Amino acid sequence: MDLLRHLRHFLVVAEELHFGRAAARLHLSQPPLSQSIRKLERELGVRLFDRDARRVALTEAGRLLLVEAREVLAGEDRLRALAGRFRRGEAGVLRAGVPPDLGGRAVAALLPAFRRRSPLELKLREAATAGQLRALADRTLDVGVLRFPFDSSWLALGPVLTGPLGVLLPRDHPSAAAAEVRLADLAGMALVLFPRAAAPALHDELLTTCARHGYTPAEVHQAGNPEFALGLVLAGGAVALHDGVAPPGDAVWRPLRGTPLRWRTACAWPRDRHTPAVAAFAAAVTEVLTARGMRPDDDRSPRFPRPAAEYLA
């Protein structure tokens, strides 16, 4: 039995208290409408109307069930409206990943920037590139903010932005007084870097670029927490890479001469999962990262993982 259809017939008859007028509103002839009401009465096991040749009136059961019928039909309307909002990308949750080094201020700016563009709830998860790629593949993330290089053959990408990396030095380092630092000036120092498992291709690219410019770290310390990385720098004997946006005041930040190192960043999502909310998130990320000094990437360098030998060629 199509209960909702019979309830809609019941509601109209109850409002008109006249089968002829109710049938006209429903664009039915009167006999099928009368049959529909009788089927509903049999299904519910109660009589809904007292009716004779001159009048139609609700029974006591009809009056009580009318209230519930209106609730059921209103619930159906709400359900269909909500489903429509989901189809149009106007309701639900967007699950997005951001890299651990994005910074608290950028995260704080990202949330309102997204809310200005989309009514969806935004749930952010901190994860490095490798973790975000796994989450995008198993559909536990809808979109991520990723650092190149990575395998993007199965992904759609937002605008690619680039920003140079400088170096955090202990205040007593000989290069701390210089306006710029060459990578070769860091010889003998250890390097504090994110764990290789977090972004293997980027890890290798950074180290081989350092080597190509005359800096082979005496040791590579792994640090996923920026505060831990800063502690190692302040302890002496180590330096860390930093984008120069709001660097910690305890250390000295200097740009690298020739900008040999940089972040290349873009939003990425599975090609079959593009939605208005994903587009809104990509636009919000572009706004926030541009405000932090990143610019559209016009470099033609490959954005996919390459063998280490290629960096040294």
Side-chain angles (χ1 to χ4, degrees):
M1 179 184 194
D2 184 350
L3 180 62
L4 294 177
R5 180 169 65 88
H6 291 288
L7 287 178
R8 283 191 288 272
H9 293 172
F10 168 50
L11 186 62
V12 174
V13 175
E15 290 172 353
E16 296 291 342
L17 293 179
H18 190 284
F19 274 80
R21 291 195 296 270
R25 275 180 58 184
L26 292 165
H27 305 291
L28 295 172
S29 60
Q30 187 169 330
L33 178 59
S34 298
Q35 186 179 22
S36 174
I37 296 299
R38 284 196 292 272
K39 284 183 178 177
L40 181 61
E41 289 175 329
R42 284 198 298 273
E43 177 70 19
L44 299 177
V46 295
R47 190 159 50 86
L48 300 172
F49 296 100
D50 288 325
R51 48 196 182 267
D52 56 30
R54 294 181 300 173
R55 63 186 287 272
V56 176
L58 283 164
T59 63
E60 181 179 0
R63 285 193 296 274
L64 294 175
L65 290 175
L66 178 60
V67 176
E68 299 300 326
R70 284 179 171 139
E71 286 296 317
V72 171
L73 294 174
E76 182 201 16
D77 290 342
R78 290 193 296 271
L79 184 148
R80 291 184 183 279
L82 181 60
R85 292 181 61 199
F86 272 102
R87 284 197 303 273
R88 295 189 297 274
E90 298 172 351
V93 175
L94 184 74
R95 303 161 302 175
V98 295
D101 53 29
L102 190 63
R105 289 182 177 85
V107 171
L110 181 56
L111 290 165
F114 177 76
R115 282 197 291 267
R116 288 196 300 273
R117 293 172 168 85
S118 174
L120 266 65
E121 179 185 356
L122 177 61
K123 288 193 174 180
L124 293 178
R125 183 197 307 177
E126 182 185 270
T129 295
Q132 289 195 53
L133 288 171
R134 287 192 296 271
L136 289 169
D138 63 22
R139 306 299 176 102
T140 55
L141 270 187
D142 300 307
V143 60
V145 181
L146 303 178
R147 306 284 195 201
F148 290 96
F150 58 88
D151 177 11
S152 60
S153 58
W154 55 286
L155 297 168
L157 301 175
V160 179
L161 301 175
T162 186
L165 284 172
V167 62
L168 285 179
L169 301 163
R171 290 190 175 277
D172 59 355
H173 190 276
S175 296
E180 292 182 327
V181 175
R182 296 179 308 155
L183 276 171
D185 296 335
L186 305 177
M189 301 290 288
L191 176 64
V192 186
L193 197 58
F194 56 82
R196 187 177 185 277
L202 177 58
H203 188 277
D204 293 350
E205 183 179 84
L206 292 173
L207 286 180
T208 51
T209 302
C210 286
R212 190 169 58 190
H213 288 80
Y215 172 44
T216 299
E219 186 176 357
V220 177
H221 298 297
Q222 295 191 354
N225 184 319
E227 287 297 314
F228 181 63
L230 175 62
L232 293 177
V233 171
L234 295 178
V239 298
L241 304 177
H242 195 281
D243 62 9
V245 179
D250 298 335
V252 175
W253 180 84
R254 291 290 179 266
L256 290 170
R257 185 176 302 171
T259 61
L261 301 175
R262 59 207 171 102
W263 292 140
R264 290 179 297 158
T265 306
C267 284
W269 59 92
R271 288 180 176 173
D272 61 345
R273 298 293 297 275
H274 182 79
T275 66
V278 165
F281 181 77
V285 169
T286 300
E287 175 190 308
V288 170
L289 295 187
T290 300
R292 288 170 62 86
M294 299 192 80
R295 295 291 177 262
D297 184 21
D298 55 2
D299 195 324
R300 296 182 181 275
S301 300
R303 294 167 180 162
F304 49 83
R306 293 170 289 166
E310 187 173 338
Y311 300 112
L312 299 173

